[in-house]
Short mmCIF file of all heavy atoms in Angstrom, two decimals:
data_model
loop_
_atom_site.label_atom_id
_atom_site.label_comp_id
_atom_site.label_asym_id
_atom_site.label_seq_id
_atom_site.Cartn_x
_atom_site.Cartn_y
_atom_site.Cartn_z
N MET A 29 -8.14 -18.82 20.25
CA MET A 29 -7.13 -19.02 19.23
C MET A 29 -6.64 -17.67 18.72
O MET A 29 -7.44 -16.77 18.49
CB MET A 29 -7.73 -19.80 18.07
CG MET A 29 -7.99 -21.22 18.38
SD MET A 29 -6.53 -22.11 18.05
CE MET A 29 -7.05 -23.37 16.98
N ASP A 30 -5.35 -17.62 18.50
CA ASP A 30 -4.74 -16.41 17.94
C ASP A 30 -4.87 -16.43 16.43
O ASP A 30 -4.56 -17.43 15.78
CB ASP A 30 -3.26 -16.36 18.31
CG ASP A 30 -2.93 -15.17 19.16
OD1 ASP A 30 -3.80 -14.30 19.30
OD2 ASP A 30 -1.81 -15.11 19.68
N LYS A 31 -5.32 -15.35 15.89
CA LYS A 31 -5.40 -15.24 14.44
C LYS A 31 -4.07 -14.70 13.91
O LYS A 31 -3.55 -13.72 14.43
CB LYS A 31 -6.54 -14.30 14.06
CG LYS A 31 -6.76 -14.20 12.58
CD LYS A 31 -7.90 -13.27 12.26
CE LYS A 31 -8.00 -13.14 10.76
NZ LYS A 31 -8.99 -12.17 10.38
N GLU A 32 -3.55 -15.37 12.90
CA GLU A 32 -2.28 -14.92 12.32
C GLU A 32 -2.49 -13.64 11.54
O GLU A 32 -3.49 -13.47 10.85
CB GLU A 32 -1.71 -15.99 11.39
CG GLU A 32 -1.01 -17.10 12.09
CD GLU A 32 -0.28 -17.99 11.11
OE1 GLU A 32 0.26 -17.47 10.13
OE2 GLU A 32 -0.26 -19.19 11.35
N PHE A 33 -1.53 -12.74 11.68
CA PHE A 33 -1.57 -11.48 10.96
C PHE A 33 -0.54 -11.54 9.84
O PHE A 33 0.65 -11.62 10.10
CB PHE A 33 -1.28 -10.31 11.91
CG PHE A 33 -1.34 -8.98 11.24
CD1 PHE A 33 -2.55 -8.45 10.84
CD2 PHE A 33 -0.18 -8.26 11.00
CE1 PHE A 33 -2.62 -7.21 10.23
CE2 PHE A 33 -0.24 -7.03 10.39
CZ PHE A 33 -1.46 -6.52 10.00
N ARG A 34 -1.00 -11.54 8.62
CA ARG A 34 -0.09 -11.63 7.48
C ARG A 34 -0.21 -10.38 6.63
O ARG A 34 -1.29 -9.84 6.43
CB ARG A 34 -0.42 -12.84 6.62
CG ARG A 34 -0.19 -14.13 7.32
CD ARG A 34 -0.41 -15.26 6.39
NE ARG A 34 -0.21 -16.52 7.10
CZ ARG A 34 -0.17 -17.67 6.51
NH1 ARG A 34 -0.33 -17.75 5.21
NH2 ARG A 34 0.02 -18.76 7.20
N ILE A 35 0.93 -9.96 6.13
CA ILE A 35 0.98 -8.83 5.21
C ILE A 35 1.24 -9.39 3.82
O ILE A 35 2.24 -10.08 3.61
CB ILE A 35 2.07 -7.82 5.61
CG1 ILE A 35 1.81 -7.29 7.02
CG2 ILE A 35 2.12 -6.68 4.61
CD1 ILE A 35 2.91 -6.40 7.54
N PRO A 36 0.38 -9.11 2.85
CA PRO A 36 0.58 -9.66 1.51
C PRO A 36 1.84 -9.10 0.84
O PRO A 36 2.20 -7.94 1.03
CB PRO A 36 -0.67 -9.22 0.73
CG PRO A 36 -1.58 -8.59 1.71
CD PRO A 36 -0.84 -8.34 2.96
N ILE A 37 2.48 -9.93 0.06
CA ILE A 37 3.69 -9.52 -0.65
C ILE A 37 3.36 -8.42 -1.65
O ILE A 37 4.20 -7.57 -1.96
CB ILE A 37 4.36 -10.73 -1.32
CG1 ILE A 37 5.73 -10.37 -1.88
CG2 ILE A 37 3.50 -11.27 -2.45
CD1 ILE A 37 6.76 -10.08 -0.86
N TRP A 38 2.13 -8.40 -2.16
CA TRP A 38 1.74 -7.39 -3.14
C TRP A 38 1.73 -5.98 -2.54
O TRP A 38 1.88 -5.00 -3.27
CB TRP A 38 0.38 -7.73 -3.74
CG TRP A 38 0.45 -9.01 -4.49
CD1 TRP A 38 -0.08 -10.21 -4.12
CD2 TRP A 38 1.14 -9.24 -5.72
NE1 TRP A 38 0.23 -11.16 -5.06
CE2 TRP A 38 0.98 -10.59 -6.05
CE3 TRP A 38 1.88 -8.43 -6.58
CZ2 TRP A 38 1.52 -11.14 -7.19
CZ3 TRP A 38 2.42 -8.99 -7.72
CH2 TRP A 38 2.24 -10.32 -8.02
N PHE A 39 1.54 -5.89 -1.24
CA PHE A 39 1.62 -4.59 -0.57
C PHE A 39 3.04 -4.03 -0.69
O PHE A 39 3.23 -2.86 -1.02
CB PHE A 39 1.22 -4.74 0.90
CG PHE A 39 1.41 -3.48 1.70
CD1 PHE A 39 0.50 -2.44 1.58
CD2 PHE A 39 2.49 -3.34 2.55
CE1 PHE A 39 0.67 -1.27 2.30
CE2 PHE A 39 2.67 -2.18 3.28
CZ PHE A 39 1.75 -1.14 3.16
N PHE A 40 4.03 -4.88 -0.45
CA PHE A 40 5.42 -4.43 -0.54
C PHE A 40 5.83 -4.15 -1.99
O PHE A 40 6.59 -3.22 -2.26
CB PHE A 40 6.36 -5.46 0.08
CG PHE A 40 6.17 -5.59 1.55
CD1 PHE A 40 5.60 -6.73 2.08
CD2 PHE A 40 6.54 -4.58 2.41
CE1 PHE A 40 5.42 -6.86 3.45
CE2 PHE A 40 6.36 -4.68 3.77
CZ PHE A 40 5.79 -5.83 4.30
N ILE A 41 5.32 -4.94 -2.92
CA ILE A 41 5.60 -4.69 -4.33
C ILE A 41 5.00 -3.35 -4.74
O ILE A 41 5.63 -2.56 -5.46
CB ILE A 41 5.05 -5.84 -5.20
CG1 ILE A 41 5.89 -7.09 -4.94
CG2 ILE A 41 5.06 -5.47 -6.68
CD1 ILE A 41 5.37 -8.33 -5.60
N GLY A 42 3.80 -3.06 -4.29
CA GLY A 42 3.19 -1.76 -4.58
C GLY A 42 3.97 -0.62 -3.97
O GLY A 42 4.13 0.43 -4.60
N ALA A 43 4.47 -0.81 -2.75
CA ALA A 43 5.29 0.24 -2.12
C ALA A 43 6.57 0.48 -2.90
O ALA A 43 6.97 1.63 -3.12
CB ALA A 43 5.59 -0.15 -0.68
N LEU A 44 7.21 -0.60 -3.35
CA LEU A 44 8.43 -0.44 -4.15
C LEU A 44 8.15 0.25 -5.49
O LEU A 44 8.90 1.13 -5.92
CB LEU A 44 9.08 -1.80 -4.41
CG LEU A 44 9.92 -2.35 -3.28
CD1 LEU A 44 10.41 -3.75 -3.62
CD2 LEU A 44 11.09 -1.44 -3.01
N LEU A 45 7.06 -0.14 -6.14
CA LEU A 45 6.70 0.51 -7.40
C LEU A 45 6.43 2.00 -7.18
O LEU A 45 6.82 2.83 -8.01
CB LEU A 45 5.47 -0.16 -8.02
CG LEU A 45 5.68 -1.52 -8.66
CD1 LEU A 45 4.34 -2.09 -9.10
CD2 LEU A 45 6.63 -1.42 -9.83
N GLY A 46 5.76 2.33 -6.09
CA GLY A 46 5.49 3.73 -5.79
C GLY A 46 6.76 4.52 -5.53
O GLY A 46 6.92 5.64 -6.00
N ILE A 47 7.69 3.93 -4.79
CA ILE A 47 8.95 4.62 -4.50
C ILE A 47 9.77 4.80 -5.77
O ILE A 47 10.29 5.89 -6.03
CB ILE A 47 9.75 3.84 -3.43
CG1 ILE A 47 9.03 3.92 -2.08
CG2 ILE A 47 11.17 4.35 -3.31
CD1 ILE A 47 9.58 2.98 -1.04
N TYR A 48 9.87 3.74 -6.57
CA TYR A 48 10.62 3.85 -7.83
C TYR A 48 9.96 4.87 -8.76
O TYR A 48 10.64 5.65 -9.44
CB TYR A 48 10.71 2.51 -8.53
CG TYR A 48 11.63 1.52 -7.87
CD1 TYR A 48 11.45 0.15 -8.05
CD2 TYR A 48 12.67 1.92 -7.05
CE1 TYR A 48 12.29 -0.76 -7.45
CE2 TYR A 48 13.51 1.01 -6.44
CZ TYR A 48 13.31 -0.33 -6.65
OH TYR A 48 14.14 -1.23 -6.05
N GLY A 49 8.63 4.86 -8.83
CA GLY A 49 7.93 5.82 -9.67
C GLY A 49 8.17 7.25 -9.23
O GLY A 49 8.39 8.13 -10.06
N LEU A 50 8.18 7.48 -7.92
CA LEU A 50 8.44 8.82 -7.41
C LEU A 50 9.86 9.26 -7.74
O LEU A 50 10.08 10.41 -8.15
CB LEU A 50 8.20 8.85 -5.90
CG LEU A 50 8.29 10.21 -5.24
CD1 LEU A 50 7.21 11.14 -5.78
CD2 LEU A 50 8.16 10.07 -3.74
N LEU A 51 10.83 8.37 -7.59
CA LEU A 51 12.22 8.71 -7.91
C LEU A 51 12.40 9.01 -9.40
O LEU A 51 13.07 9.98 -9.78
CB LEU A 51 13.16 7.57 -7.49
CG LEU A 51 13.34 7.39 -5.99
CD1 LEU A 51 14.16 6.14 -5.72
CD2 LEU A 51 14.00 8.60 -5.38
N ILE A 52 11.81 8.18 -10.26
CA ILE A 52 11.93 8.40 -11.70
C ILE A 52 11.21 9.68 -12.11
O ILE A 52 11.71 10.45 -12.94
CB ILE A 52 11.39 7.18 -12.47
CG1 ILE A 52 12.30 5.98 -12.23
CG2 ILE A 52 11.28 7.47 -13.96
CD1 ILE A 52 11.75 4.68 -12.77
N LEU A 53 10.05 9.94 -11.52
CA LEU A 53 9.31 11.17 -11.82
C LEU A 53 10.10 12.40 -11.41
O LEU A 53 10.20 13.37 -12.17
CB LEU A 53 7.95 11.14 -11.13
CG LEU A 53 7.08 12.39 -11.29
CD1 LEU A 53 6.73 12.60 -12.76
CD2 LEU A 53 5.83 12.27 -10.45
N CYS A 54 10.69 12.37 -10.22
CA CYS A 54 11.49 13.51 -9.76
C CYS A 54 12.70 13.72 -10.66
O CYS A 54 13.06 14.86 -10.98
CB CYS A 54 11.93 13.30 -8.32
SG CYS A 54 10.58 13.43 -7.14
N SER A 55 13.32 12.64 -11.08
CA SER A 55 14.46 12.74 -11.99
C SER A 55 14.03 13.35 -13.33
O SER A 55 14.74 14.18 -13.90
CB SER A 55 15.07 11.36 -12.20
OG SER A 55 16.02 11.38 -13.21
N GLY A 56 12.89 12.92 -13.83
CA GLY A 56 12.39 13.46 -15.09
C GLY A 56 12.03 14.93 -14.99
O GLY A 56 12.30 15.72 -15.92
N LEU A 57 11.44 15.33 -13.87
CA LEU A 57 11.10 16.74 -13.69
C LEU A 57 12.36 17.60 -13.55
O LEU A 57 12.41 18.72 -14.06
CB LEU A 57 10.19 16.92 -12.47
CG LEU A 57 8.79 16.34 -12.62
CD1 LEU A 57 8.02 16.47 -11.31
CD2 LEU A 57 8.04 17.02 -13.76
N TYR A 58 13.37 17.05 -12.88
CA TYR A 58 14.64 17.77 -12.78
C TYR A 58 15.27 17.93 -14.16
O TYR A 58 15.79 19.00 -14.50
CB TYR A 58 15.60 17.03 -11.85
CG TYR A 58 16.93 17.73 -11.71
CD1 TYR A 58 17.06 18.82 -10.86
CD2 TYR A 58 18.03 17.33 -12.43
CE1 TYR A 58 18.26 19.48 -10.72
CE2 TYR A 58 19.24 17.98 -12.30
CZ TYR A 58 19.35 19.06 -11.45
OH TYR A 58 20.54 19.72 -11.33
N GLY A 59 15.21 16.88 -14.98
CA GLY A 59 15.73 16.97 -16.34
C GLY A 59 14.94 17.93 -17.21
O GLY A 59 15.48 18.48 -18.17
N LEU A 60 13.67 18.11 -16.90
CA LEU A 60 12.85 19.06 -17.65
C LEU A 60 13.24 20.50 -17.32
O LEU A 60 13.31 21.35 -18.19
CB LEU A 60 11.37 18.82 -17.33
CG LEU A 60 10.34 19.58 -18.13
CD1 LEU A 60 10.39 19.13 -19.59
CD2 LEU A 60 8.96 19.33 -17.56
N VAL A 61 13.55 20.76 -16.04
CA VAL A 61 13.92 22.10 -15.61
C VAL A 61 15.37 22.42 -15.98
O VAL A 61 15.67 23.53 -16.39
CB VAL A 61 13.71 22.23 -14.08
CG1 VAL A 61 14.22 23.57 -13.58
CG2 VAL A 61 12.25 22.06 -13.72
N HIS A 62 16.25 21.43 -15.85
CA HIS A 62 17.66 21.59 -16.17
C HIS A 62 18.05 20.60 -17.27
O HIS A 62 18.60 19.54 -16.99
CB HIS A 62 18.53 21.33 -14.94
CG HIS A 62 18.21 22.21 -13.78
ND1 HIS A 62 18.53 23.54 -13.76
CD2 HIS A 62 17.57 21.95 -12.61
CE1 HIS A 62 18.11 24.06 -12.62
NE2 HIS A 62 17.52 23.12 -11.90
N PRO A 63 17.77 20.94 -18.53
CA PRO A 63 18.05 19.98 -19.62
C PRO A 63 19.56 19.77 -19.79
O PRO A 63 20.35 20.68 -19.57
CB PRO A 63 17.43 20.64 -20.85
CG PRO A 63 17.28 22.06 -20.51
CD PRO A 63 17.18 22.16 -19.03
N PRO A 64 19.95 18.55 -20.19
CA PRO A 64 21.37 18.28 -20.41
C PRO A 64 21.88 18.98 -21.67
O PRO A 64 21.09 19.39 -22.53
CB PRO A 64 21.42 16.77 -20.57
CG PRO A 64 20.06 16.39 -21.00
CD PRO A 64 19.13 17.38 -20.39
N GLU A 65 23.19 19.12 -21.77
CA GLU A 65 23.77 19.78 -22.95
C GLU A 65 23.49 18.99 -24.21
O GLU A 65 23.13 19.56 -25.23
CB GLU A 65 25.28 19.92 -22.77
CG GLU A 65 25.68 20.99 -21.80
CD GLU A 65 27.19 21.13 -21.72
OE1 GLU A 65 27.87 20.82 -22.71
OE2 GLU A 65 27.67 21.54 -20.67
N ARG A 66 23.69 17.69 -24.15
CA ARG A 66 23.49 16.84 -25.32
C ARG A 66 22.17 16.10 -25.17
O ARG A 66 22.00 15.31 -24.26
CB ARG A 66 24.63 15.86 -25.46
CG ARG A 66 25.97 16.58 -25.63
CD ARG A 66 27.04 15.61 -25.86
NE ARG A 66 26.81 15.00 -27.17
CZ ARG A 66 27.69 14.26 -27.79
NH1 ARG A 66 28.85 14.00 -27.24
NH2 ARG A 66 27.44 13.74 -28.97
N GLN A 67 21.25 16.34 -26.08
CA GLN A 67 19.94 15.69 -26.04
C GLN A 67 20.03 14.31 -26.70
O GLN A 67 20.76 14.11 -27.66
CB GLN A 67 18.92 16.54 -26.79
CG GLN A 67 18.66 17.89 -26.18
CD GLN A 67 17.89 17.79 -24.88
OE1 GLN A 67 17.10 16.88 -24.67
NE2 GLN A 67 18.15 18.71 -23.98
N VAL A 68 19.29 13.37 -26.18
CA VAL A 68 19.20 12.05 -26.79
C VAL A 68 18.00 12.03 -27.74
O VAL A 68 17.14 12.91 -27.71
CB VAL A 68 19.06 10.94 -25.72
CG1 VAL A 68 20.29 10.89 -24.86
CG2 VAL A 68 17.84 11.16 -24.87
N ALA A 69 17.95 10.99 -28.59
CA ALA A 69 16.84 10.87 -29.53
C ALA A 69 15.53 10.70 -28.77
O ALA A 69 15.46 10.02 -27.75
CB ALA A 69 17.07 9.68 -30.45
N LEU A 70 14.50 11.34 -29.25
CA LEU A 70 13.15 11.28 -28.69
C LEU A 70 13.06 11.84 -27.27
O LEU A 70 12.14 11.50 -26.51
CB LEU A 70 12.60 9.86 -28.72
CG LEU A 70 12.49 9.20 -30.09
CD1 LEU A 70 12.00 7.77 -29.94
CD2 LEU A 70 11.56 9.97 -31.00
N SER A 71 13.98 12.71 -26.89
CA SER A 71 13.93 13.28 -25.54
C SER A 71 12.73 14.20 -25.35
O SER A 71 12.32 14.45 -24.22
CB SER A 71 15.22 14.04 -25.24
OG SER A 71 15.34 15.16 -26.09
N TYR A 72 12.17 14.68 -26.44
CA TYR A 72 11.02 15.58 -26.35
C TYR A 72 9.76 14.86 -25.87
O TYR A 72 8.79 15.50 -25.49
CB TYR A 72 10.74 16.26 -27.70
CG TYR A 72 10.43 15.30 -28.82
CD1 TYR A 72 9.13 14.93 -29.08
CD2 TYR A 72 11.44 14.76 -29.61
CE1 TYR A 72 8.83 14.05 -30.09
CE2 TYR A 72 11.16 13.88 -30.62
CZ TYR A 72 9.86 13.53 -30.87
OH TYR A 72 9.57 12.65 -31.87
N LEU A 73 9.78 13.52 -25.86
CA LEU A 73 8.63 12.76 -25.39
C LEU A 73 8.58 12.65 -23.86
O LEU A 73 7.53 12.33 -23.30
CB LEU A 73 8.63 11.35 -25.99
CG LEU A 73 8.43 11.28 -27.49
CD1 LEU A 73 8.54 9.85 -27.97
CD2 LEU A 73 7.08 11.87 -27.87
N HIS A 74 9.71 12.90 -23.20
CA HIS A 74 9.81 12.86 -21.74
C HIS A 74 9.30 11.52 -21.18
O HIS A 74 8.41 11.47 -20.33
CB HIS A 74 9.05 14.02 -21.10
CG HIS A 74 9.48 15.35 -21.63
ND1 HIS A 74 10.73 15.87 -21.36
CD2 HIS A 74 8.85 16.25 -22.41
CE1 HIS A 74 10.84 17.05 -21.95
NE2 HIS A 74 9.71 17.30 -22.60
N ALA A 75 9.90 10.44 -21.66
CA ALA A 75 9.49 9.09 -21.25
C ALA A 75 9.68 8.87 -19.75
O ALA A 75 8.91 8.13 -19.14
CB ALA A 75 10.27 8.05 -22.04
N ASP A 76 10.68 9.50 -19.16
CA ASP A 76 10.91 9.31 -17.72
C ASP A 76 9.76 9.88 -16.89
O ASP A 76 9.39 9.30 -15.87
CB ASP A 76 12.25 9.90 -17.29
CG ASP A 76 12.50 11.28 -17.87
OD1 ASP A 76 11.64 11.79 -18.60
OD2 ASP A 76 13.56 11.84 -17.58
N ILE A 77 9.19 10.97 -17.33
CA ILE A 77 8.04 11.54 -16.60
C ILE A 77 6.82 10.62 -16.73
O ILE A 77 6.17 10.31 -15.73
CB ILE A 77 7.72 12.96 -17.11
CG1 ILE A 77 8.88 13.89 -16.76
CG2 ILE A 77 6.41 13.47 -16.52
CD1 ILE A 77 8.75 15.29 -17.32
N TRP A 78 6.54 10.15 -17.94
CA TRP A 78 5.39 9.26 -18.15
C TRP A 78 5.58 7.94 -17.40
O TRP A 78 4.63 7.43 -16.79
CB TRP A 78 5.17 9.00 -19.64
CG TRP A 78 4.68 10.19 -20.36
CD1 TRP A 78 5.39 10.97 -21.23
CD2 TRP A 78 3.39 10.79 -20.26
NE1 TRP A 78 4.61 12.00 -21.67
CE2 TRP A 78 3.38 11.91 -21.11
CE3 TRP A 78 2.24 10.47 -19.55
CZ2 TRP A 78 2.26 12.71 -21.25
CZ3 TRP A 78 1.12 11.27 -19.70
CH2 TRP A 78 1.14 12.38 -20.54
N TRP A 79 6.78 7.38 -17.47
CA TRP A 79 7.06 6.12 -16.80
C TRP A 79 6.96 6.29 -15.28
O TRP A 79 6.44 5.41 -14.60
CB TRP A 79 8.43 5.62 -17.22
CG TRP A 79 8.74 4.25 -16.73
CD1 TRP A 79 9.69 3.92 -15.83
CD2 TRP A 79 8.10 3.03 -17.09
NE1 TRP A 79 9.68 2.58 -15.62
CE2 TRP A 79 8.72 2.00 -16.37
CE3 TRP A 79 7.06 2.71 -17.96
CZ2 TRP A 79 8.34 0.68 -16.49
CZ3 TRP A 79 6.69 1.39 -18.08
CH2 TRP A 79 7.32 0.39 -17.35
N GLY A 80 7.47 7.39 -14.77
CA GLY A 80 7.38 7.65 -13.34
C GLY A 80 5.94 7.78 -12.86
O GLY A 80 5.57 7.24 -11.82
N VAL A 81 5.14 8.48 -13.62
CA VAL A 81 3.72 8.64 -13.27
C VAL A 81 3.01 7.28 -13.31
O VAL A 81 2.23 6.94 -12.40
CB VAL A 81 3.02 9.65 -14.20
CG1 VAL A 81 1.52 9.60 -14.05
CG2 VAL A 81 3.55 11.05 -13.95
N LEU A 82 3.30 6.48 -14.33
CA LEU A 82 2.67 5.17 -14.45
C LEU A 82 3.05 4.27 -13.27
O LEU A 82 2.17 3.65 -12.65
CB LEU A 82 3.09 4.50 -15.76
CG LEU A 82 2.54 3.10 -16.01
CD1 LEU A 82 1.03 3.17 -16.23
CD2 LEU A 82 3.23 2.46 -17.18
N LEU A 83 4.32 4.20 -12.93
CA LEU A 83 4.74 3.38 -11.79
C LEU A 83 4.14 3.89 -10.48
O LEU A 83 3.74 3.09 -9.63
CB LEU A 83 6.26 3.37 -11.69
CG LEU A 83 7.01 2.49 -12.68
CD1 LEU A 83 8.51 2.65 -12.47
CD2 LEU A 83 6.61 1.06 -12.54
N LEU A 84 4.10 5.19 -10.32
CA LEU A 84 3.53 5.76 -9.09
C LEU A 84 2.05 5.41 -8.96
O LEU A 84 1.59 5.01 -7.89
CB LEU A 84 3.73 7.28 -9.09
CG LEU A 84 3.32 8.02 -7.84
CD1 LEU A 84 4.14 7.55 -6.65
CD2 LEU A 84 3.50 9.52 -8.04
N VAL A 85 1.29 5.51 -10.03
CA VAL A 85 -0.14 5.20 -9.99
C VAL A 85 -0.36 3.71 -9.71
O VAL A 85 -1.19 3.34 -8.87
CB VAL A 85 -0.83 5.63 -11.31
CG1 VAL A 85 -2.22 5.05 -11.42
CG2 VAL A 85 -0.86 7.14 -11.41
N ILE A 86 0.40 2.85 -10.39
CA ILE A 86 0.27 1.41 -10.15
C ILE A 86 0.64 1.08 -8.71
O ILE A 86 -0.03 0.27 -8.05
CB ILE A 86 1.13 0.61 -11.15
CG1 ILE A 86 0.55 0.74 -12.55
CG2 ILE A 86 1.20 -0.86 -10.76
CD1 ILE A 86 1.42 0.14 -13.63
N GLY A 87 1.69 1.70 -8.20
CA GLY A 87 2.08 1.47 -6.81
C GLY A 87 1.02 1.89 -5.83
O GLY A 87 0.73 1.18 -4.86
N ILE A 88 0.40 3.04 -6.06
CA ILE A 88 -0.66 3.51 -5.16
C ILE A 88 -1.87 2.57 -5.21
O ILE A 88 -2.45 2.25 -4.17
CB ILE A 88 -1.07 4.95 -5.53
CG1 ILE A 88 0.06 5.91 -5.15
CG2 ILE A 88 -2.37 5.35 -4.85
CD1 ILE A 88 -0.14 7.32 -5.64
N VAL A 89 -2.21 2.08 -6.40
CA VAL A 89 -3.33 1.14 -6.52
C VAL A 89 -3.03 -0.14 -5.75
O VAL A 89 -3.89 -0.64 -5.00
CB VAL A 89 -3.62 0.83 -8.01
CG1 VAL A 89 -4.56 -0.35 -8.16
CG2 VAL A 89 -4.20 2.06 -8.69
N TYR A 90 -1.83 -0.69 -5.89
CA TYR A 90 -1.48 -1.92 -5.18
C TYR A 90 -1.47 -1.71 -3.67
O TYR A 90 -1.93 -2.57 -2.92
CB TYR A 90 -0.12 -2.43 -5.64
CG TYR A 90 -0.19 -3.36 -6.82
CD1 TYR A 90 -0.85 -3.01 -8.00
CD2 TYR A 90 0.42 -4.60 -6.78
CE1 TYR A 90 -0.90 -3.84 -9.07
CE2 TYR A 90 0.37 -5.46 -7.87
CZ TYR A 90 -0.30 -5.08 -9.01
OH TYR A 90 -0.35 -5.92 -10.07
N VAL A 91 -0.91 -0.61 -3.21
CA VAL A 91 -0.85 -0.35 -1.77
C VAL A 91 -2.26 -0.21 -1.20
O VAL A 91 -2.56 -0.74 -0.13
CB VAL A 91 0.01 0.89 -1.47
CG1 VAL A 91 -0.19 1.38 -0.05
CG2 VAL A 91 1.48 0.59 -1.71
N ARG A 92 -3.13 0.47 -1.90
CA ARG A 92 -4.50 0.64 -1.40
C ARG A 92 -5.29 -0.67 -1.44
O ARG A 92 -6.06 -0.97 -0.54
CB ARG A 92 -5.24 1.70 -2.20
CG ARG A 92 -4.74 3.10 -1.89
CD ARG A 92 -5.57 4.14 -2.59
NE ARG A 92 -6.98 3.96 -2.27
CZ ARG A 92 -7.68 4.78 -1.49
NH1 ARG A 92 -7.08 5.81 -0.95
NH2 ARG A 92 -8.95 4.57 -1.26
N LYS A 93 -5.09 -1.47 -2.49
CA LYS A 93 -5.84 -2.71 -2.62
C LYS A 93 -5.39 -3.78 -1.62
O LYS A 93 -6.20 -4.53 -1.10
CB LYS A 93 -5.71 -3.25 -4.04
CG LYS A 93 -6.51 -4.50 -4.26
CD LYS A 93 -6.53 -4.92 -5.69
CE LYS A 93 -7.28 -6.23 -5.75
NZ LYS A 93 -7.95 -6.49 -6.92
N PHE A 94 -4.08 -3.85 -1.35
CA PHE A 94 -3.54 -4.92 -0.52
C PHE A 94 -3.04 -4.41 0.83
O PHE A 94 -2.16 -5.02 1.42
CB PHE A 94 -2.40 -5.64 -1.25
CG PHE A 94 -2.86 -6.33 -2.50
CD1 PHE A 94 -2.55 -5.81 -3.74
CD2 PHE A 94 -3.61 -7.49 -2.42
CE1 PHE A 94 -2.96 -6.44 -4.90
CE2 PHE A 94 -4.02 -8.12 -3.57
CZ PHE A 94 -3.71 -7.61 -4.81
N ARG A 95 -3.58 -3.31 1.33
CA ARG A 95 -3.11 -2.80 2.61
C ARG A 95 -3.44 -3.79 3.73
O ARG A 95 -4.46 -4.47 3.67
CB ARG A 95 -3.67 -1.42 2.88
CG ARG A 95 -5.13 -1.35 3.07
CD ARG A 95 -5.58 0.10 3.24
NE ARG A 95 -7.01 0.17 3.44
CZ ARG A 95 -7.88 0.35 2.47
NH1 ARG A 95 -7.47 0.50 1.24
NH2 ARG A 95 -9.16 0.40 2.74
N PRO A 96 -2.56 -3.87 4.72
CA PRO A 96 -2.70 -4.92 5.74
C PRO A 96 -3.90 -4.77 6.65
O PRO A 96 -4.46 -5.75 7.11
CB PRO A 96 -1.42 -4.79 6.56
CG PRO A 96 -0.54 -3.88 5.85
CD PRO A 96 -1.33 -3.15 4.84
N ASN A 97 -4.34 -3.57 6.97
CA ASN A 97 -5.44 -3.39 7.94
C ASN A 97 -6.80 -3.40 7.27
O ASN A 97 -7.74 -2.81 7.77
CB ASN A 97 -5.23 -2.10 8.72
CG ASN A 97 -5.18 -0.88 7.83
OD1 ASN A 97 -5.26 -0.99 6.62
ND2 ASN A 97 -5.03 0.28 8.43
N ARG A 98 -6.91 -4.08 6.17
CA ARG A 98 -8.14 -4.12 5.41
C ARG A 98 -9.15 -5.02 6.03
O ARG A 98 -8.97 -6.06 6.52
CB ARG A 98 -7.83 -4.56 3.99
CG ARG A 98 -8.86 -4.14 3.03
CD ARG A 98 -8.33 -4.27 1.64
NE ARG A 98 -9.48 -4.28 0.78
CZ ARG A 98 -9.70 -5.14 -0.16
NH1 ARG A 98 -8.83 -6.05 -0.42
NH2 ARG A 98 -10.77 -5.08 -0.88
#
C-alpha cells in the first residue's frame, strides 16, 4: 500500500508568517537608518521592528514544528 504524503497547512502558514515578518523587519530597519521627514506619533517605539521580529519568530516555530519530513 502506498502511504499518502501530506503537507500540513500550518507549515505554509508558518512560511507566510516568516516571509511577512522578514519583509516588515527589513522595512523597519530601513526606516531606522533613513528616517522619514515627518515623524508619526510613537515612532520612537519602532513597532515595525518589534512586529517583524515577532512574526519571524512565530513563523520559524511553525515551520520547524510542522515540517513535512518529520
Side-chain angles (χ1 to χ4, degrees):
M29 289 273 234
D30 243 350
K31 184 180 176 185
E32 280 190 36
F33 182 71
R34 295 185 181 189
I35 300 174
I37 189 69
W38 296 108
F39 174 77
F40 294 110
I41 291 173
L44 279 175
L45 285 175
I47 291 169
Y48 288 155
L50 186 63
L51 290 173
I52 293 171
L53 177 63
C54 290
S55 171
L57 292 175
Y58 180 79
L60 188 65
V61 175
H62 303 287
E65 286 183 28
R66 300 184 68 168
Q67 296 289 330
V68 296
L70 300 177
S71 65
Y72 60 91
L73 294 177
H74 306 291
D76 45 1
I77 294 175
W78 290 107
W79 187 246
V81 168
L82 178 68
L83 284 177
L84 186 62
V85 167
I86 291 172
I88 290 171
V89 168
Y90 270 53
V91 166
R92 288 186 54 108
K93 183 172 176 151
F94 296 106
R95 66 184 181 267
N97 59 358
R98 203 165 162 228

